[in-house]
């Protein structure tokens, strides 16, 4: 599946407007960038870094903890609903 990044929470790794290729149901390891359903609003997807997996699910964090409006496991706890693992940022081809 394809996903477009919005917001600054994953800077510097991912910027707003980046397009990602996501492999659904892929095995996730700590350090992987993943797409998950936002707890409390399952229609919205979030792009975060998987930090560790516990009994309650994956702990997901933003790379940029100072981003305005950032939401991650520090706000909503562990996440069960991981959609997939990011395998490629394919657009833009080059970033300044």
């Amino acid at each position: 599946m394809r996903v477009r990044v919005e917001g600054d929470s994953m800077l510097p790794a991912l910027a707003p407007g980046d397009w990602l290729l996501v492999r659904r149901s892929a095995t996730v390891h700590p350090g992987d960038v993943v797409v998950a359903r936002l707890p409390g609003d399952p229609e919205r997807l979030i792009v975060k870094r998987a930090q560790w997996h516990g009994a309650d699910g994956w702990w997901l964090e933003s790379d940029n903890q100072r981003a305005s409006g950032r939401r991650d496991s520090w706000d909503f706890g562990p996440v069960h609903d991981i959609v997939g693992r990011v395998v490629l940022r394919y657009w833009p081809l080059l970033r300044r």
Side-chain angles (χ1 to χ4, degrees):
M1 76 185 275
R2 300 177 315 147
V3 174
R4 183 178 181 271
V5 175
E6 295 181 11
D8 297 334
S9 70
M10 289 303 291
L11 285 172
L14 300 172
D18 285 356
W19 279 91
L20 311 173
L21 184 63
V22 178
R23 185 173 192 176
R24 291 181 181 261
S25 304
T27 302
V28 176
H29 299 95
D32 288 346
V33 177
V34 299
V35 172
R37 296 200 183 281
L38 180 64
D41 188 0
E43 295 298 314
R44 288 191 61 191
L45 299 177
I46 56 174
V47 178
K48 300 296 172 192
R49 190 166 305 276
Q51 293 298 330
W52 51 270
H53 188 264
D56 294 332
W58 276 98
W59 187 266
L60 305 179
E61 290 187 13
S62 303
D63 284 357
N64 179 8
Q65 288 293 314
R66 293 187 175 140
S68 66
R70 114 107 183 104
R71 294 188 61 202
D72 59 20
S73 287
W74 290 105
D75 303 301
F76 44 70
V79 176
H80 294 282
D81 200 355
I82 303 294
V83 174
R85 179 175 42 93
V86 173
V87 294
L88 176 70
R89 180 186 59 83
Y90 69 88
W91 189 261
L93 295 177
L94 298 174
R95 197 184 301 149
R96 293 178 187 213

